[in-house]
Structures are given as C-alpha cells and as structure tokens.
Amino acid sequence: RLTLDKCNPIVDSIASQIEENEYAIHVKPADGASNKDVANIYSGLIRNIENVSNAVQIYNAVSRRTIGTGLSGCRVVQDYVNSDSFDQDLIVKPINDFANRVWFGPYEQADASDAPYAWVFTAMSPDAYDEKYPDGSGLSLSQDIWNENWWNAREVVIIAEYIYKVYESVELVLMTDGKVYEVTEEFESIVDELAQQNIQERSRKSKKVCRIKTRMMDGKGWITGEQDTVFKDMPVIQSAANFQIIQNKPVYWGAIDKLLDQQRVYNFTSSKQLAETALAPTETIMMTDDQALGQDYSQLNQNPKPITTYTHMDGQQTPYKMAGPSINQSLEVMKQSAANDIGASAGQFNAQMGNNAGLQSGRAIGMQIDKGDASNLKYVQQREAFVCSVAKVIVNAIPATYDSERQIRIVGEDGTEDMETINTAEYDIQTGEMVELNDLSQGQYDVTCTAQKSFKNKQDQTASAFMELAQV
C-alpha cells in the first residue's frame, strides 16, 4: 500500500501564510490608576520575555500543530532565565504532545481560560525523578497511549502537575492619590507613611480574587504540597481551531481532518494502479514447445539481432505476442478526482501550492491566491487570539513577578533594546515628597494583538510604504 502525502504540503502552505505575519502585542491603560508610560513598559517587557523564551518559534509550532490536528498550546512559567540570574522572570514554554499531555476541567472558551483546573503530564527519566523527588514512590501514572504505541519506547516515570484555581476574598482600599492597595500586613505597615504624605483612604470594598495553585502527583499519590504561584489566570493556554461547543462537548478540528477520506481514496487508487501495472506480466511471445525446440529464447528481450527464428510446425498457430499491461483509466480518473477534492476541501488552489501550469494571467493567479488566503483567514485570527491569551496571562502575572526595585530590559516595536528601572521612588524637590516611578502593581491594563506584514525593522516598513505610495 502506498502512502502518498498530499496533506502536509497544505499545512505548510497555510502555516507559511501565518508565519509571514508579525503579531504585535499592545498594552493599553484600562483605569485611572494606569498610565501610558507604564503601559509601554509592559509592552516592552512582554516583547523581551518573548525574545528570551524564543516565543515566535513556539507560536509557530503551536500554529502548525493546530492547523494539522486542531489542538495545541503552551504555558507560561516563572523561572530563572539562566543559572547566573538572581531575579526570576516569566518565560513562555512549549508543551509537546499537547493533546495527550494536557487535560482541562469543564470549559467553554477556546483557550480554556475558564477551566477550573488542568492536569499537565510530564515524562521524566527514573534518574531525574529520583533526583528531584527523592521521597517519591517512583510509580508512573497510567497512560496506555504512551506505553503501548512504540515497541522501543524509552523508560520514563510519568507524573502530573495539578494546576487549579482558588478564589479568595480580599479587601481593596482606594487612596486619595488614586492608587488601589490590597489590605495586607505590608499595607498596614505603610499607612502612617502615606498619611504623612497626606494620602488618605477614600473608600474600600471586598472582591473575589483568583489565585493559581499547583501540586505534583505520581502513580501513588501527591509528591508535593500545595504551592502558590504568581498567576491569576490559567497559565496553560490552549489553541483550538474551528472551536465549538456541541452538546456541552468542546469540538475542534484542523485542516487535515476533513481531507482524510480524500487522502485514503488517493492512496487506494494509487496502490491499486501500481498493483495492476507493476505486478502484471510483461510482454511475452507465445509459442508451442515444438516450435521452441532447438532454440534458446531466454535472452530474447536482450537480443539485438533483427531476426529471430523458430521451428515451424504444420497445423500450429504462428507464434504471437501477448500485450503488456494497460493503464486502468477508471483508476486514473478516481486518483485525479481525489487529488482535486483534497485541494477543494482545503481551499487551496494550484497557484498557492506553486503548481500553476502557466495557462492563466498573473491577475487570475493573484485572484486564486487571494481566494485561498481568505479561506485560511480563520487560522490567522486563531493565532492572534492565542498570542493575545498568552499576553494576558503575562500581564496579570507581571506585578507579582516584578515586584521589587530592579532593572529590566524592554524591547521597542522596532527591535531596539533599552534598560528601565521599575518600582523605584525618587525625591521630588518641589513637593518635598517621594514619588514612585514605574510602579507595575498599580492600575489595570488591557491587551490586544494585531497581525501585520512582517518587517525586519521599522526602516524596512517605512521603505515599503514609500514604494507603495510611489506606485500610486
């Protein structure tokens, strides 16, 4: 049986269209306690986190798997960027084999942000497990799909991280300077200092706040206790294409799911055609044993002589040639029809696949490409929504991660890098008071993501704009 892959080139074509775009994250002030300067720091910090995490490659891999299978994702963690760092940062990390390693609680959002909990399975070598969890049982969690698919599967211990939401009631205080504080021991300790600066309490209220906690489990039970995290949102972000809720069940599919039947027909007809052609008898000459008597015809197909003799026998038919195999036209039609059905179902045309016969004008080819690109726009929009969801998780975790005075690297829209000091205070000579600068804990910020043509830098983008204007 032949397996002639005509589907993955379609994935490559759609993924290339997505990867040609640049997905820009924009952070904007959302209330009176926020401001544009801090919003710009947020945007620059997110771009730096993406650079350090090599997030573009992670996003591209997620997009390709989403196009192919309909499901993929990644996660955001708090960790040290390198072994020499003393400050922890937020990092975007991939989750390979997302469909088999991640299990969410009930949810209805495409990114699973509303799920109350998630299980993330991890495969570790026995030595790595013993080093990290010396008091653990060493028993692996059951995942039959991992253990039985491969005869040479490596020996691993499968553990799971349980990530769950806990809602707590907190008391918030609005001060006369517009800042909002959570009532904690730390806040109570600075009330007097704020009063000396003539900053008084204006109002207070209670609200429910989501906290993300985590535990680890092996095949015997819990191997760690409950641990707090810096996150307020589910840090595992799902990317689901064509997402729907049908009878309370999340349903999603990629570009390949609807092509499997056509691909099977194509493989079957190609295999049948090969069997009928390649395995059929070759052209042969038919004669009786009496007519072949005294002659050696074993090398007849390689004999360069123009004349071949045989022994004539009265009353016997003259030697004749048996025709070779002929192409089954029905199979050829079916194979070509299946190939056309694959392209039509995927919304891909020959012009997009670089397979145009040159029988159309450039304008007609462009119209075909535009029509195919329009059918794949949903995957571009899915990428936008996914990147935006990742950015929202990062934005809401930044105040708890970058909560002390420190210098951070921020990256501008044009790729330039700069160092910025955050959570610092300076003495204002005119007012005689300490003024807090770049306080990331104050205010609320919204996140948006937009896709645009990718440029190496702003100079290339400007040059392209000038060329387009010149043509007009």
Side-chain angles (χ1 to χ4, degrees), residues 167-459:
Y167 291 90
E168 301 174 350
S169 294
V170 299
E171 198 168 9
L172 302 178
V173 176
L174 175 63
M175 308 302 289
T176 53
D177 63 348
K179 292 184 177 180
V180 178
Y181 294 91
E182 184 178 327
V183 178
T184 61
E185 292 183 0
E186 183 180 357
F187 169 74
E188 297 292 352
S189 66
I190 64 171
V191 170
D192 295 337
E193 285 77 3
L194 293 174
Q196 291 177 2
Q197 301 176 32
N198 199 26
I199 300 175
Q200 306 294 330
E201 179 180 331
R202 176 180 295 175
S203 62
R204 89 171 42 200
K205 69 173 183 178
S206 297
K207 67 173 291 188
K208 291 284 187 180
V209 176
C210 178
R211 313 283 191 191
I212 301 295
K213 298 181 182 292
T214 181
R215 296 187 73 179
M216 300 299 298
M217 171 182 278
D218 65 5
K220 186 177 181 180
W222 300 113
I223 53 179
T224 65
E226 182 180 78
Q227 298 178 355
D228 295 326
T229 70
V230 298
F231 299 102
K232 296 181 180 180
D233 311 279
M234 180 60 67
V236 180
I237 303 95
Q238 175 178 278
S239 173
N242 302 295
F243 181 82
Q244 298 181 34
I245 297 291
I246 301 178
Q247 295 183 350
N248 299 318
K249 177 180 175 61
V251 178
Y252 40 79
W253 65 86
I256 302 303
D257 288 6
K258 306 303 181 183
L259 309 181
L260 294 181
D261 287 340
Q262 298 92 313
Q263 177 70 74
R264 293 186 181 105
V265 171
Y266 187 87
N267 287 344
F268 173 79
T269 52
S270 297
S271 302
K272 183 70 173 174
Q273 193 175 58
L274 174 64
E276 290 186 359
T277 304
L279 302 182
T282 59
E283 290 185 346
T284 56
I285 296 177
M286 306 296 292
M287 67 176 65
T288 65
D289 292 336
D290 294 335
Q291 292 172 335
L293 188 64
Q295 303 290 339
D296 180 12
Y297 297 109
S298 61
Q299 304 295 322
L300 183 61
N301 291 337
Q302 302 174 13
N303 188 356
K305 295 181 180 180
I307 298 176
T308 300
T309 62
Y310 73 99
T311 303
H312 177 70
M313 306 295 295
D314 292 337
Q316 294 185 1
Q317 183 180 358
T318 303
Y320 62 93
K321 194 178 212 182
M322 284 286 293
S326 60
I327 297 177
N328 189 327
Q329 295 299 325
S330 298
L331 289 177
E332 183 64 27
V333 172
M334 289 177 62
K335 185 174 74 170
Q336 187 59 45
S337 177
N340 294 337
D341 288 344
I342 290 176
S345 298
Q348 299 288 294
F349 300 93
N350 287 337
Q352 286 176 293
M353 304 301 294
N355 190 29
N356 185 65
L359 302 178
Q360 295 171 307
S361 66
R363 181 175 178 82
I365 294 173
M367 292 176 66
Q368 275 195 336
I369 293 176
D370 290 342
K371 186 175 181 180
D373 290 347
S375 66
N376 300 324
L377 183 60
K378 58 186 177 182
Y379 295 106
V380 177
Q381 294 172 341
Q382 166 60 29
R383 171 68 172 266
E384 285 183 352
F386 172 71
V387 173
C388 190
S389 296
V390 175
K392 287 179 180 177
V393 173
I394 295 175
V395 164
N396 291 332
I398 281 177
T401 307
Y402 304 85
D403 58 348
S404 59
E405 181 179 347
R406 58 185 282 193
Q407 276 198 330
I408 60 172
R409 179 172 55 193
I410 62 174
V411 179
E413 292 184 5
D414 58 354
T416 58
E417 299 178 355
D418 198 4
M419 301 301 294
E420 191 76 45
T421 302
I422 59 173
N423 302 321
T424 184
E426 291 186 2
Y427 182 75
D428 188 345
I429 300 177
Q430 295 179 345
T431 62
E433 298 176 350
M434 297 298 292
V435 179
E436 294 185 6
L437 301 177
N438 300 333
D439 185 0
L440 301 185
S441 65
Q442 296 300 318
Q444 300 293 320
Y445 295 88
D446 291 333
V447 183
T448 60
C449 178
T450 57
Q452 56 189 5
K453 185 178 178 181
S454 179
F455 294 92
K456 292 182 180 179
N457 51 49
K458 287 291 184 180
Q459 187 175 3

Side-chain angles (χ1 to χ4, degrees), residues 75 95-97 100-103 118-144 146-147 154-163 214-224 227:
R75 67 178 301 180
I95 301 180
N96 297 314
D97 197 13
N100 295 319
R101 293 193 176 191
V102 178
W103 303 89
W119 292 92
V120 180
F121 291 83
T122 304
M124 304 177 65
S125 68
D127 292 339
Y129 175 89
D130 293 337
E131 181 179 354
K132 191 167 185 178
Y133 306 106
D135 298 329
S137 66
L139 296 178
S140 181
L141 287 166
S142 174
Q143 281 242 305
D144 294 339
W146 287 9
N147 297 337
R154 61 191 178 100
E155 183 181 358
V156 295
V157 177
I158 301 174
I159 62 175
E161 181 181 5
Y162 179 50
I163 306 170
T214 181
R215 296 187 73 179
M216 300 299 298
M217 171 182 278
D218 65 5
K220 186 177 181 180
W222 300 113
I223 53 179
T224 65
Q227 298 178 355

